[in-house]
Amino acid sequence: MEKKTSRRRFISSLGLAGAGAVAGVPVLMRSTANATPAILGGSKAMPAIGTSWPIFGQLEETGLMNVVKSGVWGRLADNTRTAAFEKAYAAATGAKNALAVSSGTNALFAMLGALDIGPGDEVILPPYTFIATYNVIVLNYALPVFVDTDIESFQIDARKIEAAITPATKALLPVHIGGSPFDIDAVLQISKKHNIPMLEDACQAHLAEWKGKGVGNWGLGGAFSFQATKNLNSGEGGAIISNDETFYQKCYSFHHQGQSANSAGLGTGSGTRGSNLRISEFQSSILLSQLSRLKQQTETRNANAAYLTQLLSQIPGIIPAKLYPGTTRSAYHLYMFRYDSKAFAGMSREKFVDALAAEGVFASTGYGMINKEDYVTGLAKNPHYLKIYGEKRMQQWLDQTLQTPVNDRLTTEALWFTQTMLLGPRSDMDKIAQAIRKIHNHAKKIA
Ligand SMILES: *Cc1c(COP(=O)(O)O)cnc(C)c1O
């Protein structure tokens, strides 16, 4: 009895400490922070970080075996797992329609296809993104126009979009990078003013919300990825969500060889181009199982990320990415922050990453300057592009493409933790912060 009471008291005092830490500001324990960093021979802050990925169990196994035994392995049948997943994903995101496709890249590709974007057209995108955002534009021989980054949020700088619009601009393709919303209100206002559709690259942003409404619902359509590292995973896979019935039908047709959902007839999808971008029943089965875990995982990531931000904001030289005020939920596919070496006795970012790794905390330096890589700049010499746009326009394009000073700087300061690091207990966040504090306190010696 005595034991029980004291244990209960202990738990409730822990609870109080926890509540206080959320309401006020959590404090790093001084003693741990002063310990010797692992890179200098001290003990590790964390023996293991986060969780393994993917997280799965009997649900996935049974679901998959049921598909095998049913003999229905593709979507062109009645009562498919794909149709069930589309219904569930539309409900989860608050969209009227969801269309499952074979990848996130193909979700973007189908949206551009539905708009019939092609040679001579321009599409606006940010440089701080995965290369797929760029690739789908170039696959259509349209011109990818980069708009610089807002260093505080890592997102496209909406204030710089209007200057990049020309009469040839046919779509805005901003990205919810890291799974946190870009400034949707600001981009949407420009989209409406110029009557240019906004397509959301929400490939990292499952269940993220802006003012309580799911991302991907704000523009004409939104694209999601279910590639193996993403927060919702079927190995490969993707989806489009849209509240515009005509646009949804066009996307369906594009992903189904130019046919409509209800008819196998060519051209019945009201477009003039198409491909096979269909998803399989195996993937949809896995997605249905994984989707049942997503909401809880998203809540865990958000709670841990909010707590981690409070801790990291107290360490000089560590600047967590800002969320725009309209953000009511992030997907936290990535926990993004900037590192200021000046506050760490000039320790290089790479050295800091090594010191963190020695503590058992693995950080990535994130995207490079994709708009300055040969792969992208080489477009100025691509014979098809020269034929379509002419030498003068392609030279102009190259000059403009290289003018992203804020993004250039960001790529030298950025660091990421991946989403699986946010799925463990809150004490993991304390350990991450302690590891960074230790390194900060011994920066001179490590640098
Ligand atoms: C993953 C990703 C894509 C592409 O998705 P895939 O499923 O890998 O084809 C597109 N854009 C962004 C921002 C992504 O992170």
Side-chain angles (χ1 to χ4, degrees), residues 135-158:
N135 278 338
V136 291
I137 299 166
V138 173
L139 280 173
N140 286 303
Y141 291 97
L143 208 53
V145 176
F146 291 100
V147 167
D148 209 355
T149 308
D150 176 353
I151 200 148
E152 287 187 47
S153 66
F154 291 47
Q155 309 291 335
I156 193 167
D157 191 336

Side-chain angles (χ1 to χ4, degrees), residues 100-275:
V101 294
S102 51
S103 71
T105 305
N106 278 338
L108 293 167
F109 189 57
M111 292 202 300
L112 295 186
L115 287 177
D116 199 23
I117 282 171
D121 296 339
E122 298 180 8
V123 178
I124 287 175
L125 79 162
Y128 202 76
T129 186
F130 180 58
I131 193 70
T133 318
Y134 166 88
N135 278 338
V136 291
I137 299 166
V138 173
L139 280 173
N140 286 303
Y141 291 97
L143 208 53
V145 176
F146 291 100
V147 167
D148 209 355
T149 308
D150 176 353
I151 200 148
E152 287 187 47
S153 66
F154 291 47
Q155 309 291 335
I156 193 167
D157 191 336
R159 295 163 295 192
K160 294 180 179 164
I161 291 178
E162 272 197 295
I165 290 176
T166 77
T169 310
K170 289 291 153 58
L172 309 179
L173 186 52
V175 180
H176 299 295
I177 207 67
S180 295
F182 57 78
D183 189 345
I184 291 181
D185 288 355
V187 181
L188 198 56
Q189 199 191 346
I190 296 161
S191 161
K192 285 180 174 157
K193 181 177 164 193
H194 294 268
N195 196 24
I196 300 168
M198 174 173 90
L199 304 172
E200 298 170 59
D201 182 339
C203 281
Q204 301 183 357
H206 316 79
L207 300 193
E209 287 181 358
W210 180 260
K211 296 179 171 175
K213 181 166 128 184
V215 305
N217 279 299
W218 293 85
L220 185 57
F224 295 83
S225 165
F226 308 136
Q227 181 270 340
T229 63
K230 300 287 158 74
N231 295 15
L232 185 60
N233 163 19
S234 54
E236 300 286 355
I240 295 162
I241 63 170
S242 181
N243 297 296
D244 183 305
E245 187 64 31
T246 308
F247 182 72
Y248 160 75
Q249 294 294 349
K250 282 187 176 172
C251 290
Y252 191 103
S253 168
F254 189 88
H255 109 295
H256 185 39
Q257 308 281 22
Q259 306 164 98
S260 73
N262 308 319
S263 159
L266 269 175
T268 48
S270 75
T272 54
R273 298 187 305 146
S275 183

